Amino acid sequence: MNPAIEVRNLSKEFTLHTQGGTVLPVFRNLDLTVSPGECVVLGGPSGVGKSTLIRCMYANYRPTGGTIAVRHDGRPADIVSAPPRQVIDVRRRTLGYVSQFLRTIPRVPALDIVAEPLRAVGVEAAEARARAAELLRRLRIPERLFGLPPATFSGGEQQRVNIARGFAHPYPILLLDEPTASLDAANRETVVGLVREALDRGAAIVAILHDQDARDAVATRLFDLSPYSAM
Amino acid sequence: MSVDTQADAPLLEVQGLSKRFGAIQACRNISFDLWPGEVIGIVGESGSGKTTLLNCISARLAPDSGRVLYRTRHEGPADLNGMSEPARRMLMRTDWGFVHQDPREGLRMRVSAGANVGERLMALGARHYGNIRAEALDWLGMVEIDQTRVDDMPRTFSGGMLQRLQIARNLVTRPRLVFMDEPTGGLDVSVQARLLDLIRGLVADLGLSAVVVTHDLAVARMLSHRLMVMWRGSVVETGLTDQVLDDPHHPYTQLLVSSVLQP
């Protein structure tokens, strides 16, 4: 089967010009291949660069070297060197990302935040909202909050809105950065269910999951970043 | 926000643009493309050349060198400098919008709100008073101005309302490209949020392309797909907005990002 993601020779370091040009190397010459239907959970001690790797895969961070081929429209696209418009297109249709924190937008209600990725791929407003509502209900967001902007929600509620948003569109590839942090047991179980459903439809998933139970429930493989550490 | 990722050509092409004021190099050899549906933010501190760049690419100021090509609706790419004055004026009145930081610069303060919105329609040849008024009322509604204010003079409006009126005046002709110079500058924070959300919605719904100059990184993050960071007349860093703000590479961008106060 064609890989969904192929990371080759990836290196990332940060140069802090405001700190006298201090260079912080993170990882070096990292290789990782993820196939459809796989859930690769990233491992290694805190600071080894798990979030940095996920952010590089989303093209949010720009690597120092290497390539990240993402299967988009049946062809590999190097997200590191792709022009911005192509990255936007890959993110819209292929690459989903659940970050650690929800970025709220003033005045935009929770329901619309969740429906937005569906609207972006052309789903009708009513259908997108219905799917969004279904996800929010599954994640136990009270119905009365659907119409409110999440800026005032609790941390756990915001994270669940974020998860619903990430799972609204059936992306072929999902990047999950600690989706179960700050969730109670019942909601953790729901997220495990969502991940399993995504795997069943053939999604390729890369996740950071510190919760042992959640990890055991979904991981098909662990990938330890320690050997690539450049510290 | 919706970039048309299937479009086959850029709407605006800026090639090697430079502009000097005496000893000061305001813009140095700047090139970029703007694609249909795309919003580019230009950030940088005062004096970095971002407003000069905006004025040069919107035909309000002639560059010393370089070219600005605009893909017109019917005749393909046209060099702004080679264009006749009437053609350029027509473009500015219909296909383009320009939102000034100070709405008083973009509005006519001595005619009513409704007339401000209707004026650009009349420039396009609309003559039927009832239609023009109906369209003006529609647009007041879209920018969240109470429609009963249609006959009021702009000077009776608050700053936020004036800015929304200026936006309605610009968008009524359904432009394809809108230039914005610090559109939320000088407004209270609460008023800013409402305006930003409104601009975001209109840009997405109308499929507009836009170039937004701002020194406010939060505004840039919310409105633009891509960023250009200007410093001393040069573009020192470009990329997707989240790349530039979350993983800034150039020393000046890092300083800019690290200087933002977190509330």
Side-chain angles (χ1 to χ4, degrees), chain A residues 53 64 68 74-75 90 106 111 115 130 135-136 158 166 187 192:
Chain A
L53 176 57
T64 314
I68 302 173
R75 285 187 300 273
V90 170
L111 193 66
L135 275 162
L136 287 172
Q158 290 196 10
N187 282 308
V192 165

Side-chain angles (χ1 to χ4, degrees), chain B residues 213-229:
Chain B
V213 161
T214 179
H215 69 274
D216 185 331
L217 298 183
V219 169
R221 167 123 33 200
M222 207 167 136
L223 290 182
S224 53
H225 302 104
R226 272 203 292 148
L227 279 190
M228 300 198 300
V229 182

Side-chain angles (χ1 to χ4, degrees), chain B residues 164-243:
Chain B
R164 281 180 273 132
L165 181 62
Q166 188 189 193
I167 288 166
R169 176 180 163 95
N170 272 283
L171 298 188
V172 66
T173 58
R174 298 295 175 124
R176 293 196 295 164
L177 172 57
V178 179
F179 303 96
M180 302 187 209
D181 190 4
E182 302 278 8
T184 61
L187 296 175
D188 291 342
V189 177
S190 58
V191 178
Q192 270 190 24
R194 179 180 186 183
L195 185 68
L196 272 177
D197 184 43
L198 183 80
I199 293 175
R200 220 176 68 93
L202 288 171
V203 165
D205 293 347
L206 303 173
L208 291 175
S209 304
V211 182
V212 183
V213 161
T214 179
H215 69 274
D216 185 331
L217 298 183
V219 169
R221 167 123 33 200
M222 207 167 136
L223 290 182
S224 53
H225 302 104
R226 272 203 292 148
L227 279 190
M228 300 198 300
V229 182
M230 284 192 76
W231 182 63
R232 296 189 182 174
S234 296
V235 172
V236 294
E237 185 159 359
T238 64
L240 288 168
T241 300
D242 62 286
Q243 290 174 338

Side-chain angles (χ1 to χ4, degrees), chain B residues 21-33:
Chain B
F21 297 111
I24 298 160
Q25 185 80 51
C27 294
R28 193 190 317 264
N29 193 23
I30 292 170
S31 302
F32 69 95
D33 291 343

Side-chain angles (χ1 to χ4, degrees), chain A:
Chain A
M1 197 186 294
N2 286 315
I5 309 172
E6 230 176 337
V7 180
R8 286 288 164 264
N9 248 325
L10 196 73
S11 302
K12 177 63 184 169
E13 61 184 36
F14 295 96
T15 305
L16 309 179
H17 295 286
T18 54
Q19 308 292 327
T22 305
V23 176
L24 291 180
V26 184
F27 45 71
R28 208 170 277 153
N29 302 331
L30 186 148
D31 292 320
L32 170 63
T33 303
V34 187
S35 297
E38 262 199 299
C39 177
V40 175
V41 172
L42 304 182
S46 182
V48 80
K50 299 186 288 289
S51 285
T52 298
L53 176 57
I54 283 205
R55 283 171 178 258
C56 287
M57 288 173 154
Y58 195 61
N60 174 230
Y61 284 179
R62 293 172 286 189
T64 314
T67 58
I68 302 173
V70 169
R71 196 147 195 91
H72 179 64
D73 279 343
R75 285 187 300 273
D78 177 22
I79 196 128
V80 176
S81 59
R85 299 171 64 241
Q86 193 184 7
V87 175
I88 289 172
D89 193 45
V90 170
R91 286 179 177 179
R92 182 186 299 165
R93 297 192 289 123
T94 298
L95 203 53
Y97 170 47
V98 176
S99 57
Q100 282 178 299
F101 301 102
L102 177 70
R103 188 173 282 284
T104 61
I105 301 166
R107 299 213 308 171
V108 181
L111 193 66
D112 288 350
I113 288 182
V114 177
E116 199 262 339
L118 289 168
R119 300 285 293 127
V121 293
V123 176
E124 287 302 319
E127 193 188 331
R129 287 217 171 107
R131 168 95 178 119
E134 184 195 319
L135 275 162
L136 287 172
R137 267 184 227 113
R138 265 185 87 175
L139 287 156
R140 297 173 186 80
I141 299 290
E143 205 107 357
R144 65 190 154 77
L145 297 184
F146 287 12
L148 301 177
T152 55
F153 292 9
S154 74
E157 284 165 345
Q158 290 196 10
Q159 182 55 356
R160 280 179 277 148
V161 171
N162 206 22
I163 291 164
R165 179 181 161 88
F167 281 89
H169 171 61
Y171 296 104
I173 301 172
L174 274 171
L175 308 171
L176 311 174
D177 192 348
E178 282 287 11
T180 58
S182 74
L183 297 189
D184 59 24
N187 282 308
R188 226 162 28 230
E189 208 42 53
T190 303
V191 173
V192 165
L194 288 168
V195 173
R196 281 221 178 106
E197 286 163 30
L199 287 174
D200 287 345
R201 64 169 169 78
I205 299 177
V206 179
I208 302 170
L209 276 172
H210 282 122
D211 181 72
Q212 188 67 46
D213 294 342
R215 190 194 298 208
D216 292 345
V218 298
T220 59
R221 179 156 58 106
L222 296 180
F223 180 80
D224 187 0
L225 273 75
S226 309
Y228 305 97
S229 175
M231 297 289 187

